[in-house]
Structures are given as C-alpha cells and as structure tokens.
mmCIF file of all heavy atoms in Angstrom:
data_model
loop_
_atom_site.group_PDB
_atom_site.id
_atom_site.type_symbol
_atom_site.label_atom_id
_atom_site.label_comp_id
_atom_site.label_asym_id
_atom_site.label_seq_id
_atom_site.Cartn_x
_atom_site.Cartn_y
_atom_site.Cartn_z
ATOM 1 N N ARG A 1 19.466 18.686 -1.933
ATOM 2 C CA ARG A 1 18.620 18.845 -0.754
ATOM 3 C C ARG A 1 17.155 18.518 -1.035
ATOM 4 O O ARG A 1 16.372 18.271 -0.151
ATOM 5 C CB ARG A 1 18.698 20.287 -0.249
ATOM 6 C CG ARG A 1 18.164 21.332 -1.222
ATOM 7 C CD ARG A 1 18.382 22.754 -0.682
ATOM 8 N NE ARG A 1 17.911 23.771 -1.611
ATOM 9 C CZ ARG A 1 16.663 24.203 -1.674
ATOM 10 N NH1 ARG A 1 15.789 23.681 -0.862
ATOM 11 N NH2 ARG A 1 16.300 25.113 -2.537
ATOM 12 N N LEU A 2 16.763 18.458 -2.322
ATOM 13 C CA LEU A 2 15.390 18.104 -2.671
ATOM 14 C C LEU A 2 15.185 16.595 -2.838
ATOM 15 O O LEU A 2 14.066 16.131 -2.799
ATOM 16 C CB LEU A 2 14.980 18.819 -3.979
ATOM 17 C CG LEU A 2 14.897 20.354 -3.923
ATOM 18 C CD1 LEU A 2 14.479 20.859 -5.314
ATOM 19 C CD2 LEU A 2 13.902 20.796 -2.895
ATOM 20 N N ARG A 3 16.253 15.900 -2.997
ATOM 21 C CA ARG A 3 16.094 14.463 -3.291
ATOM 22 C C ARG A 3 15.431 13.696 -2.172
ATOM 23 O O ARG A 3 14.576 12.860 -2.441
ATOM 24 C CB ARG A 3 17.472 13.863 -3.644
ATOM 25 C CG ARG A 3 17.970 14.348 -5.003
ATOM 26 C CD ARG A 3 19.386 13.899 -5.290
ATOM 27 N NE ARG A 3 19.879 14.430 -6.522
ATOM 28 C CZ ARG A 3 21.150 14.399 -6.931
ATOM 29 N NH1 ARG A 3 22.028 13.796 -6.147
ATOM 30 N NH2 ARG A 3 21.491 14.921 -8.071
ATOM 31 N N PRO A 4 15.811 13.850 -0.905
ATOM 32 C CA PRO A 4 15.138 13.116 0.160
ATOM 33 C C PRO A 4 13.645 13.351 0.187
ATOM 34 O O PRO A 4 12.839 12.444 0.432
ATOM 35 C CB PRO A 4 15.819 13.593 1.445
ATOM 36 C CG PRO A 4 17.146 14.067 1.003
ATOM 37 C CD PRO A 4 16.924 14.669 -0.364
ATOM 38 N N ARG A 5 13.208 14.589 -0.095
ATOM 39 C CA ARG A 5 11.780 14.905 -0.057
ATOM 40 C C ARG A 5 11.052 14.176 -1.201
ATOM 41 O O ARG A 5 9.991 13.603 -0.979
ATOM 42 C CB ARG A 5 11.571 16.398 -0.179
ATOM 43 C CG ARG A 5 10.087 16.802 -0.261
ATOM 44 C CD ARG A 5 9.916 18.297 -0.260
ATOM 45 N NE ARG A 5 8.506 18.639 -0.516
ATOM 46 C CZ ARG A 5 7.998 18.832 -1.707
ATOM 47 N NH1 ARG A 5 8.749 18.698 -2.801
ATOM 48 N NH2 ARG A 5 6.703 19.122 -1.865
ATOM 49 N N HIS A 6 11.598 14.214 -2.378
ATOM 50 C CA HIS A 6 10.967 13.503 -3.513
ATOM 51 C C HIS A 6 10.939 12.008 -3.260
ATOM 52 O O HIS A 6 9.952 11.338 -3.606
ATOM 53 C CB HIS A 6 11.703 13.839 -4.805
ATOM 54 C CG HIS A 6 11.391 15.193 -5.332
ATOM 55 N ND1 HIS A 6 10.382 15.427 -6.265
ATOM 56 C CD2 HIS A 6 11.915 16.416 -5.057
ATOM 57 C CE1 HIS A 6 10.334 16.713 -6.566
ATOM 58 N NE2 HIS A 6 11.259 17.339 -5.823
ATOM 59 N N LEU A 7 12.002 11.485 -2.672
ATOM 60 C CA LEU A 7 12.030 10.046 -2.347
ATOM 61 C C LEU A 7 10.941 9.734 -1.308
ATOM 62 O O LEU A 7 10.262 8.721 -1.393
ATOM 63 C CB LEU A 7 13.398 9.635 -1.799
ATOM 64 C CG LEU A 7 13.601 8.191 -1.457
ATOM 65 C CD1 LEU A 7 13.391 7.292 -2.648
ATOM 66 C CD2 LEU A 7 14.998 7.967 -0.856
ATOM 67 N N GLY A 8 10.796 10.630 -0.326
ATOM 68 C CA GLY A 8 9.781 10.445 0.686
ATOM 69 C C GLY A 8 8.362 10.465 0.107
ATOM 70 O O GLY A 8 7.520 9.654 0.484
ATOM 71 N N ILE A 9 8.107 11.360 -0.844
ATOM 72 C CA ILE A 9 6.817 11.439 -1.506
ATOM 73 C C ILE A 9 6.531 10.123 -2.242
ATOM 74 O O ILE A 9 5.420 9.605 -2.178
ATOM 75 C CB ILE A 9 6.749 12.637 -2.470
ATOM 76 C CG1 ILE A 9 6.717 13.934 -1.667
ATOM 77 C CG2 ILE A 9 5.530 12.536 -3.400
ATOM 78 C CD1 ILE A 9 6.838 15.188 -2.519
ATOM 79 N N MET A 10 7.514 9.623 -2.949
ATOM 80 C CA MET A 10 7.375 8.353 -3.671
ATOM 81 C C MET A 10 7.043 7.199 -2.716
ATOM 82 O O MET A 10 6.222 6.345 -2.985
ATOM 83 C CB MET A 10 8.604 8.074 -4.525
ATOM 84 C CG MET A 10 8.833 9.034 -5.671
ATOM 85 S SD MET A 10 10.412 8.768 -6.506
ATOM 86 C CE MET A 10 10.174 7.093 -7.115
ATOM 87 N N MET A 11 7.780 7.186 -1.591
ATOM 88 C CA MET A 11 7.598 6.089 -0.629
ATOM 89 C C MET A 11 6.215 6.110 0.007
ATOM 90 O O MET A 11 5.538 5.074 0.116
ATOM 91 C CB MET A 11 8.664 6.139 0.453
ATOM 92 C CG MET A 11 10.054 5.732 -0.007
ATOM 93 S SD MET A 11 11.298 5.849 1.312
ATOM 94 C CE MET A 11 12.668 5.001 0.556
ATOM 95 N N VAL A 12 5.746 7.309 0.452
ATOM 96 C CA VAL A 12 4.449 7.401 1.081
ATOM 97 C C VAL A 12 3.344 7.123 0.069
ATOM 98 O O VAL A 12 2.320 6.493 0.401
ATOM 99 C CB VAL A 12 4.273 8.808 1.726
ATOM 100 C CG1 VAL A 12 2.862 8.948 2.280
ATOM 101 C CG2 VAL A 12 5.271 9.016 2.857
ATOM 102 N N THR A 13 3.530 7.550 -1.183
ATOM 103 C CA THR A 13 2.584 7.187 -2.215
ATOM 104 C C THR A 13 2.504 5.709 -2.408
ATOM 105 O O THR A 13 1.442 5.108 -2.558
ATOM 106 C CB THR A 13 2.944 7.874 -3.533
ATOM 107 O OG1 THR A 13 2.994 9.306 -3.365
ATOM 108 C CG2 THR A 13 1.940 7.563 -4.623
ATOM 109 N N GLY A 14 3.677 5.042 -2.427
ATOM 110 C CA GLY A 14 3.715 3.582 -2.532
ATOM 111 C C GLY A 14 3.019 2.885 -1.382
ATOM 112 O O GLY A 14 2.329 1.903 -1.577
ATOM 113 N N SER A 15 3.148 3.448 -0.172
ATOM 114 C CA SER A 15 2.501 2.860 0.983
ATOM 115 C C SER A 15 0.966 2.971 0.865
ATOM 116 O O SER A 15 0.229 2.062 1.218
ATOM 117 C CB SER A 15 2.995 3.486 2.271
ATOM 118 O OG SER A 15 2.469 4.804 2.430
ATOM 119 N N ALA A 16 0.510 4.139 0.356
ATOM 120 C CA ALA A 16 -0.945 4.336 0.203
ATOM 121 C C ALA A 16 -1.487 3.357 -0.834
ATOM 122 O O ALA A 16 -2.569 2.789 -0.669
ATOM 123 C CB ALA A 16 -1.229 5.769 -0.234
ATOM 124 N N VAL A 17 -0.739 3.121 -1.913
ATOM 125 C CA VAL A 17 -1.190 2.192 -2.945
ATOM 126 C C VAL A 17 -1.221 0.763 -2.359
ATOM 127 O O VAL A 17 -2.174 0.011 -2.603
ATOM 128 C CB VAL A 17 -0.252 2.246 -4.173
ATOM 129 C CG1 VAL A 17 -0.591 1.142 -5.167
ATOM 130 C CG2 VAL A 17 -0.359 3.607 -4.830
ATOM 131 N N ALA A 18 -0.169 0.393 -1.621
ATOM 132 C CA ALA A 18 -0.125 -0.937 -1.019
ATOM 133 C C ALA A 18 -1.269 -1.162 -0.043
ATOM 134 O O ALA A 18 -1.944 -2.201 -0.045
ATOM 135 C CB ALA A 18 1.210 -1.147 -0.280
ATOM 136 N N TRP A 19 -1.565 -0.196 0.813
ATOM 137 C CA TRP A 19 -2.643 -0.313 1.794
ATOM 138 C C TRP A 19 -4.018 -0.323 1.115
ATOM 139 O O TRP A 19 -4.973 -0.914 1.634
ATOM 140 C CB TRP A 19 -2.556 0.793 2.821
ATOM 141 C CG TRP A 19 -1.484 0.529 3.836
ATOM 142 C CD1 TRP A 19 -0.933 -0.659 4.174
ATOM 143 C CD2 TRP A 19 -0.837 1.507 4.665
ATOM 144 N NE1 TRP A 19 -0.005 -0.502 5.157
ATOM 145 C CE2 TRP A 19 0.110 0.821 5.479
ATOM 146 C CE3 TRP A 19 -0.929 2.875 4.813
ATOM 147 C CZ2 TRP A 19 0.907 1.460 6.424
ATOM 148 C CZ3 TRP A 19 -0.124 3.514 5.721
ATOM 149 C CH2 TRP A 19 0.796 2.812 6.528
ATOM 150 N N SER A 20 -4.136 0.342 -0.019
ATOM 151 C CA SER A 20 -5.436 0.423 -0.709
ATOM 152 C C SER A 20 -5.859 -0.908 -1.343
ATOM 153 O O SER A 20 -6.986 -1.043 -1.766
ATOM 154 C CB SER A 20 -5.401 1.515 -1.785
ATOM 155 O OG SER A 20 -4.610 1.129 -2.876
ATOM 156 N N THR A 21 -4.928 -1.892 -1.369
ATOM 157 C CA THR A 21 -5.267 -3.183 -1.979
ATOM 158 C C THR A 21 -5.953 -4.127 -1.027
ATOM 159 O O THR A 21 -6.280 -5.266 -1.392
ATOM 160 C CB THR A 21 -4.001 -3.877 -2.525
ATOM 161 O OG1 THR A 21 -3.075 -4.100 -1.438
ATOM 162 C CG2 THR A 21 -3.307 -3.012 -3.585
ATOM 163 N N THR A 22 -6.215 -3.707 0.213
ATOM 164 C CA THR A 22 -6.808 -4.623 1.194
ATOM 165 C C THR A 22 -8.162 -5.162 0.706
ATOM 166 O O THR A 22 -8.424 -6.372 0.774
ATOM 167 C CB THR A 22 -7.003 -3.905 2.539
ATOM 168 O OG1 THR A 22 -5.773 -3.325 2.960
ATOM 169 C CG2 THR A 22 -7.486 -4.878 3.616
ATOM 170 N N GLY A 23 -9.011 -4.279 0.243
ATOM 171 C CA GLY A 23 -10.312 -4.693 -0.250
ATOM 172 C C GLY A 23 -10.203 -5.626 -1.433
ATOM 173 O O GLY A 23 -10.973 -6.567 -1.595
ATOM 174 N N LEU A 24 -9.224 -5.368 -2.306
ATOM 175 C CA LEU A 24 -9.034 -6.197 -3.481
ATOM 176 C C LEU A 24 -8.669 -7.629 -3.086
ATOM 177 O O LEU A 24 -9.199 -8.614 -3.606
ATOM 178 C CB LEU A 24 -7.939 -5.608 -4.359
ATOM 179 C CG LEU A 24 -7.618 -6.317 -5.662
ATOM 180 C CD1 LEU A 24 -8.826 -6.311 -6.576
ATOM 181 C CD2 LEU A 24 -6.443 -5.627 -6.384
ATOM 182 N N PHE A 25 -7.738 -7.781 -2.133
ATOM 183 C CA PHE A 25 -7.335 -9.116 -1.650
ATOM 184 C C PHE A 25 -8.501 -9.818 -0.969
ATOM 185 O O PHE A 25 -8.682 -11.046 -1.181
ATOM 186 C CB PHE A 25 -6.142 -9.001 -0.720
ATOM 187 C CG PHE A 25 -4.817 -8.858 -1.429
ATOM 188 C CD1 PHE A 25 -4.118 -7.670 -1.377
ATOM 189 C CD2 PHE A 25 -4.260 -9.911 -2.150
ATOM 190 C CE1 PHE A 25 -2.883 -7.535 -2.012
ATOM 191 C CE2 PHE A 25 -3.060 -9.798 -2.787
ATOM 192 C CZ PHE A 25 -2.361 -8.605 -2.733
ATOM 193 N N THR A 26 -9.244 -9.126 -0.138
ATOM 194 C CA THR A 26 -10.331 -9.777 0.577
ATOM 195 C C THR A 26 -11.436 -10.264 -0.384
ATOM 196 O O THR A 26 -12.125 -11.245 -0.106
ATOM 197 C CB THR A 26 -10.952 -8.842 1.635
ATOM 198 O OG1 THR A 26 -11.374 -7.619 1.017
ATOM 199 C CG2 THR A 26 -9.934 -8.549 2.708
ATOM 200 N N ARG A 27 -11.622 -9.524 -1.500
ATOM 201 C CA ARG A 27 -12.618 -9.968 -2.481
ATOM 202 C C ARG A 27 -12.072 -11.129 -3.309
ATOM 203 O O ARG A 27 -12.827 -12.036 -3.719
ATOM 204 C CB ARG A 27 -12.958 -8.808 -3.397
ATOM 205 C CG ARG A 27 -13.777 -7.695 -2.771
ATOM 206 C CD ARG A 27 -15.186 -8.184 -2.416
ATOM 207 N NE ARG A 27 -16.018 -7.064 -1.988
ATOM 208 C CZ ARG A 27 -16.117 -6.614 -0.750
ATOM 209 N NH1 ARG A 27 -15.400 -7.193 0.198
ATOM 210 N NH2 ARG A 27 -16.909 -5.597 -0.440
ATOM 211 N N ALA A 28 -10.759 -11.152 -3.583
ATOM 212 C CA ALA A 28 -10.188 -12.158 -4.501
ATOM 213 C C ALA A 28 -9.973 -13.487 -3.838
ATOM 214 O O ALA A 28 -9.964 -14.510 -4.521
ATOM 215 C CB ALA A 28 -8.861 -11.639 -5.054
ATOM 216 N N LEU A 29 -9.801 -13.536 -2.511
ATOM 217 C CA LEU A 29 -9.483 -14.782 -1.815
ATOM 218 C C LEU A 29 -10.783 -15.425 -1.295
ATOM 219 O O LEU A 29 -11.426 -14.878 -0.383
ATOM 220 C CB LEU A 29 -8.539 -14.508 -0.665
ATOM 221 C CG LEU A 29 -7.088 -14.231 -1.085
ATOM 222 C CD1 LEU A 29 -6.308 -13.537 0.049
ATOM 223 C CD2 LEU A 29 -6.413 -15.544 -1.485
ATOM 224 N N PRO A 30 -11.163 -16.609 -1.811
ATOM 225 C CA PRO A 30 -12.415 -17.262 -1.410
ATOM 226 C C PRO A 30 -12.237 -18.095 -0.125
ATOM 227 O O PRO A 30 -12.516 -19.295 -0.119
ATOM 228 C CB PRO A 30 -12.711 -18.131 -2.619
ATOM 229 C CG PRO A 30 -11.382 -18.524 -3.149
ATOM 230 C CD PRO A 30 -10.486 -17.341 -2.919
ATOM 231 N N LEU A 31 -11.756 -17.455 0.929
ATOM 232 C CA LEU A 31 -11.594 -18.140 2.224
ATOM 233 C C LEU A 31 -12.469 -17.487 3.238
ATOM 234 O O LEU A 31 -12.924 -16.336 3.084
ATOM 235 C CB LEU A 31 -10.128 -18.056 2.668
ATOM 236 C CG LEU A 31 -9.050 -18.637 1.759
ATOM 237 C CD1 LEU A 31 -7.665 -18.364 2.339
ATOM 238 C CD2 LEU A 31 -9.271 -20.131 1.583
ATOM 239 N N ASP A 32 -12.751 -18.214 4.344
ATOM 240 C CA ASP A 32 -13.500 -17.610 5.415
ATOM 241 C C ASP A 32 -12.651 -16.524 6.071
ATOM 242 O O ASP A 32 -11.427 -16.484 5.946
ATOM 243 C CB ASP A 32 -13.891 -18.668 6.441
ATOM 244 C CG ASP A 32 -12.692 -19.322 7.083
ATOM 245 O OD1 ASP A 32 -12.146 -20.266 6.475
ATOM 246 O OD2 ASP A 32 -12.281 -18.861 8.157
ATOM 247 N N THR A 33 -13.328 -15.620 6.745
ATOM 248 C CA THR A 33 -12.646 -14.467 7.307
ATOM 249 C C THR A 33 -11.575 -14.851 8.332
ATOM 250 O O THR A 33 -10.485 -14.272 8.364
ATOM 251 C CB THR A 33 -13.674 -13.522 8.010
ATOM 252 O OG1 THR A 33 -14.695 -13.164 7.076
ATOM 253 C CG2 THR A 33 -13.006 -12.282 8.521
ATOM 254 N N GLY A 34 -11.852 -15.881 9.173
ATOM 255 C CA GLY A 34 -10.886 -16.335 10.120
ATOM 256 C C GLY A 34 -9.575 -16.799 9.486
ATOM 257 O O GLY A 34 -8.480 -16.439 9.889
ATOM 258 N N SER A 35 -9.716 -17.668 8.473
ATOM 259 C CA SER A 35 -8.521 -18.174 7.766
ATOM 260 C C SER A 35 -7.760 -17.047 7.099
ATOM 261 O O SER A 35 -6.546 -17.045 7.085
ATOM 262 C CB SER A 35 -8.963 -19.238 6.753
ATOM 263 O OG SER A 35 -9.625 -20.329 7.374
ATOM 264 N N LEU A 36 -8.503 -16.109 6.497
ATOM 265 C CA LEU A 36 -7.865 -15.003 5.826
ATOM 266 C C LEU A 36 -7.019 -14.172 6.828
ATOM 267 O O LEU A 36 -5.880 -13.801 6.526
ATOM 268 C CB LEU A 36 -8.925 -14.131 5.189
ATOM 269 C CG LEU A 36 -8.461 -12.981 4.267
ATOM 270 C CD1 LEU A 36 -7.745 -13.534 3.057
ATOM 271 C CD2 LEU A 36 -9.644 -12.122 3.861
ATOM 272 N N LEU A 37 -7.588 -13.958 7.996
ATOM 273 C CA LEU A 37 -6.861 -13.186 9.015
ATOM 274 C C LEU A 37 -5.646 -13.929 9.540
ATOM 275 O O LEU A 37 -4.599 -13.335 9.787
ATOM 276 C CB LEU A 37 -7.819 -12.878 10.190
ATOM 277 C CG LEU A 37 -8.774 -11.699 9.956
ATOM 278 C CD1 LEU A 37 -9.926 -11.748 10.951
ATOM 279 C CD2 LEU A 37 -8.030 -10.376 10.029
#
C-alpha cells in the first residue's frame, strides 16, 4: 500500500527537476527568443 505513494513522490520530484531546467536551456541555446519558443 506504500508503493504507489513512494512512486508518486519520485515522479513529482522528477517533474520538478525537469521543469527547473527551463532557465538552463534558455541560457545554453544562442537563438533569438522567437525561434526558441
């Protein structure tokens, strides 16, 4: 009964990590804002 909760914690943590890379990508890509979008 605890496994779904632990899996959920791992998934939401993964989503936070994935979303936190937005600034990293925008800094790393030398394109204009329109092309990037």
Side-chain angles (χ1 to χ4, degrees):
R1 64 185 179 86
L2 294 180
R3 289 174 184 168
R5 176 175 173 271
H6 283 266
L7 181 60
I9 290 173
M10 292 173 63
M11 287 178 170
V12 175
T13 302
S15 73
V17 173
W19 283 338
S20 71
T21 60
T22 307
L24 183 61
F25 279 109
T26 55
R27 289 292 188 273
L29 286 161
L31 300 177
D32 63 277
T33 304
S35 299
L36 188 64
L37 281 163

